[in-house]
Amino acid sequence: MEPWSECALARLEAVLGAENVRRTPEVLRRYAVNMLSVGDIVPAAVATPGTIEEIQAVLAIANEGRLPVWALSGGQNRGYGMACANRPGTLILDLGRMNKIIEVNADLAYALVEPGVTFAQLYRYIRDHDLPLWMDVPSGSPDGSCLGNITERGAGYTPLGEKFLFSCGMEVVLGDGRVIRTGTGTLPGTKTWQIFKWGYGPSLDGLFTQSNYGIVTKVGFWLVPKPPAYEPLAVVMDGPDSVYRAIEALRPLKLSMVIPNGACVTHVRKALGLTACWGGGKTILPKVGRRFDYSSETVAELKKTFSLGDWNFAGALYGLPETVRLYRQIVEQVLSSAVPGCRFLSAEEQQASPYWKAREMAMRGEPLWQFDMSDWDGKAGALWISPVAPATNEHVAAQIRIAEEIYAKYGFSYSAELILGTGRDLHHIIWLMFDRTDPEERERADRCVLDMYDRYCEVGYLPYRTGVTTGDHLMRKLGTFRDICHDLKRVFDPNNVLAPGKSGIDLG
Ligand code: ADP
């Protein structure tokens, strides 16, 4: 594809105003830096449209010159790409100015928002209007967008944590400039756009997630009615087998919805990394040079300081005080007999540890205000590799074995979190931390990630998401599905202007 020329950028300025087409070195750097293994990806410019008409005008210029455009909403995509495009010379379309909360309906427990609405913004709105609702948040920045997390099919920690599943109704500007609404939004004057997900005829919503067919300009999603009683469970488990025992014990509790939320079992090294981002101080995982210090003495000391075990279970109970009391007894009984020596932390212990405190907040939908990775940005690399596993100990063991083997080959340390989605699936979110300033280490991390994708796919575990630059590697394994994705690209974005190459879909 051609890069954006001076002439095209000048036309863009005429449409959006010069103040909404930024390309100073500082701005370009902010949108170039990432935590991936590929180095900075410098865009041509950053455009900030304020309306759908302005988005259409940008797309008209892009279509005319066949110029690449990459939309983003919050730009907090961390281990999958931060605020950068997949290749240099792209126009970043930052939708942060389009940040209206269009509706929050307390009776029917839903919200309809524009792309720029952040978790912090919606949380404050709900709080300031004293609405009896909770929202779902991720484990990342409060400045992330509600929309971006849905379009990337992110996972959260409340009972509505499977975010795309609980979204309802989108408005999308297609690559060719047409505007479409999904669900019952197809009917002018619909009264059920955020109420009934399926509409009539083919359900199109999924086409606008992890794809490059359109720019989503509105999204609806459901909220959690604030329950009369809530109890966070924090369980510390030791020994390498504890994770397998815990998964077997937790699966029936999840399937039967005794534990209804996006509960997770987290390895100590990941828990310590998260603690560092969640207000645990930047030195929580001391570095030797630029590397994290994973020596057993350091980890043992930090485990004590932050009330952590080798593996750590966070889940929660929601409902009436009576049911929550009863369910707590059941969970305690089941886990204690399945995982000998496991320990349930008291409410005071949870609040005293930045790790458990953040878990408690996230499971009732409060954004993690302390989130801070500024110490890492541009220096520390962090990639998230996320194969999905069936929720049985056999599959968890197989996945951990693969990760440990490959990490040992490339000289990295395994650290991961297992999110129990519906009870059937586990999002196995494996962290790969490396020194981004060291080209040799970056290159090693790059090879390691692709090796991980290859091995997991060989044995039937498809990752649920990739970083912005590795989509093609994965998509090439998917046969006819890949062909159809390209056919659809021709329908929605025939000039290939929207995020070409994202998820491996590219007509170029
Ligand atoms: P977050 O809000 O979580 O920080 P981003 O804004 O970085 O997420 O978005 C993550 C990815 O989702 C982007 O790289 C882009 O590919 C896609 N995306 C974000 N916003 C939109 C949108 N409005 N329409 C289509 N895709 C989007």
Side-chain angles (χ1 to χ4, degrees):
M1 287 204 102
E2 290 295 310
W4 280 76
S5 63
E6 277 304 314
C7 167
L9 288 171
R11 285 181 62 202
L12 205 60
E13 286 179 1
V15 171
L16 299 181
E19 69 283 11
N20 288 313
V21 183
R22 293 173 298 150
R23 43 186 170 139
T24 60
E26 301 78 60
V27 169
L28 296 187
R29 185 184 137 68
R30 193 158 79 70
Y31 289 82
V33 78
N34 57 65
M35 304 181 86
L36 305 176
S37 49
V38 290
D40 290 359
I41 301 172
V42 184
V46 178
T48 48
T51 62
I52 289 179
E53 292 71 24
E54 287 184 353
I55 292 176
Q56 287 173 314
V58 173
L59 287 177
I61 298 169
N63 271 289
E64 212 174 289
R66 298 185 174 233
L67 306 169
V69 174
W70 185 280
L72 54 88
S73 297
Q76 300 289 332
N77 205 14
R78 305 285 155 180
Y80 298 114
M82 285 293 279
C84 70
N86 58 343
R87 41 184 85 152
T90 302
L91 177 75
I92 298 276
L93 206 61
D94 183 336
L95 302 168
R97 275 176 69 215
M98 296 175 70
N99 65 351
K100 273 198 229 50
I101 296 173
I102 298 161
E103 186 186 4
V104 177
N105 188 310
D107 295 328
L108 296 165
Y110 70 76
L112 176 67
V113 304
E114 289 188 336
V117 172
T118 64
F119 295 107
Q121 185 186 348
L122 184 59
Y123 181 84
R124 290 195 178 106
Y125 179 98
I126 291 172
R127 187 194 56 195
D128 295 350
H129 290 78
D130 204 14
L131 301 175
L133 296 169
W134 289 352
M135 57 197 265
D136 194 79
V137 294
S139 53
S141 166
D143 300 326
S145 68
C146 300
L147 184 145
N149 223 254
I150 291 169
T151 57
E152 292 304 289
R153 302 203 294 263
Y157 303 94
T158 70
L160 303 186
E162 187 57 85
K163 288 214 180 52
F164 171 59
L165 187 63
F166 298 109
S167 69
C168 194
M170 290 178 180
E171 177 185 79
V172 188
V173 183
L174 302 177
D176 64 12
R178 287 177 294 173
V179 179
I180 183 176
R181 289 186 175 189
T182 65
T184 73
T186 47
L187 180 73
T190 178
K191 299 284 190 287
T192 53
W193 196 21
Q194 273 61 63
I195 304 303
F196 181 61
K197 189 169 167 122
W198 311 122
Y200 175 78
S203 172
L204 300 187
D205 300 64
L207 291 177
F208 303 109
T209 64
Q210 293 190 4
S211 74
N212 53 10
Y213 302 147
I215 295 170
V216 181
T217 47
K218 290 187 184 72
V219 71
F221 51 93
W222 297 340
L223 300 164
V224 183
K226 186 177 171 187
Y230 161 69
E231 174 141 1
L233 303 170
V235 186
V236 169
M237 303 176 289
D238 276 313
D241 279 357
S242 56
V243 60
Y244 310 122
R245 294 169 181 274
I247 293 299
E248 284 298 301
L250 289 167
R251 186 181 57 248
L253 296 171
K254 275 291 308 170
L255 283 171
S256 56
M257 297 190 205
V258 168
I259 299 171
N261 72 315
C264 54
V265 180
T266 307
H267 186 269
V268 61
R269 283 198 283 265
K270 177 145 185 191
L272 287 171
L274 289 169
T275 308
C277 311
W278 292 345
K282 288 181 179 132
T283 56
I284 182 177
L285 208 57
K287 287 178 193 164
V288 177
R290 305 205 79 103
R291 315 271 168 91
F292 291 102
D293 174 10
Y294 285 140
S295 69
S296 42
E297 303 80 59
T298 307
V299 171
E301 191 56 40
L302 291 169
K303 271 167 71 176
K304 265 193 251 146
T305 311
F306 296 104
S307 299
L308 292 165
D310 293 338
W311 287 92
N312 302 279
F313 169 67
L317 306 171
Y318 309 76
L320 299 170
E322 297 79 2
T323 54
V324 165
R325 242 192 324 272
L326 178 65
Y327 281 2
R328 156 99 199 194
Q329 283 169 11
I330 295 172
V331 176
E332 212 164 327
Q333 225 165 43
V334 170
L335 261 186
S336 300
S337 63
V339 190
C342 74
R343 193 164 78 80
F344 282 66
L345 300 184
S346 67
E348 293 72 32
E349 283 174 300
Q350 293 183 42
Q351 288 304 307
S353 160
Y355 175 79
W356 292 110
K357 188 173 173 202
R359 287 284 180 210
E360 184 278 316
M361 287 164 68
M363 292 189 295
R364 63 178 162 76
E366 178 161 358
L368 305 178
W369 305 113
Q370 298 284 330
F371 188 86
D372 181 10
M373 287 177 95
S374 54
D375 185 42
W376 300 30
D377 290 352
K379 292 174 276 177
L383 288 161
W384 301 332
I385 303 154
S386 323
V388 174
T392 70
N393 58 7
E394 169 207 346
H395 288 287
V396 175
Q399 287 207 354
I400 293 180
R401 219 171 20 246
I402 290 173
E404 286 186 333
E405 244 174 67
I406 298 180
Y407 271 34
K409 178 171 149 199
Y410 290 96
F412 296 112
S413 307
Y414 170 77
S415 113
E417 164 178 50
L418 295 153
I419 305 179
L420 291 127
T422 64
R424 297 162 186 84
D425 61 295
L426 291 167
H427 288 53
H428 186 182
I429 303 184
I430 307 166
W431 266 17
L432 175 52
M433 297 202 265
F434 57 97
D435 180 354
R436 206 175 159 263
T437 62
D438 177 346
E440 184 279 325
E441 196 164 317
R442 268 201 340 241
E443 194 260 337
R444 201 154 28 91
D446 211 35
R447 282 188 291 125
C448 178
V449 169
L450 300 183
D451 212 353
M452 291 277 277
Y453 288 157
D454 290 346
R455 281 290 294 287
Y456 281 124
C457 288
E458 264 163 39
V459 292
Y461 301 123
L462 187 64
Y464 93 100
R465 194 171 175 181
T466 66
V468 295
T469 56
T470 41
D472 188 53
H473 190 84
L474 201 56
M475 189 55 116
R476 284 186 182 279
K477 300 177 188 296
L478 306 182
T480 308
F481 173 71
R482 176 173 182 266
D483 299 339
I484 302 289
C485 288
H486 283 81
D487 291 346
L488 289 167
K489 181 77 170 165
R490 286 182 197 97
V491 172
F492 296 122
D493 181 25
N495 291 324
N496 198 33
V497 297
L498 278 183
K502 184 178 173 190
S503 297
I505 307 168
D506 191 349
L507 302 179

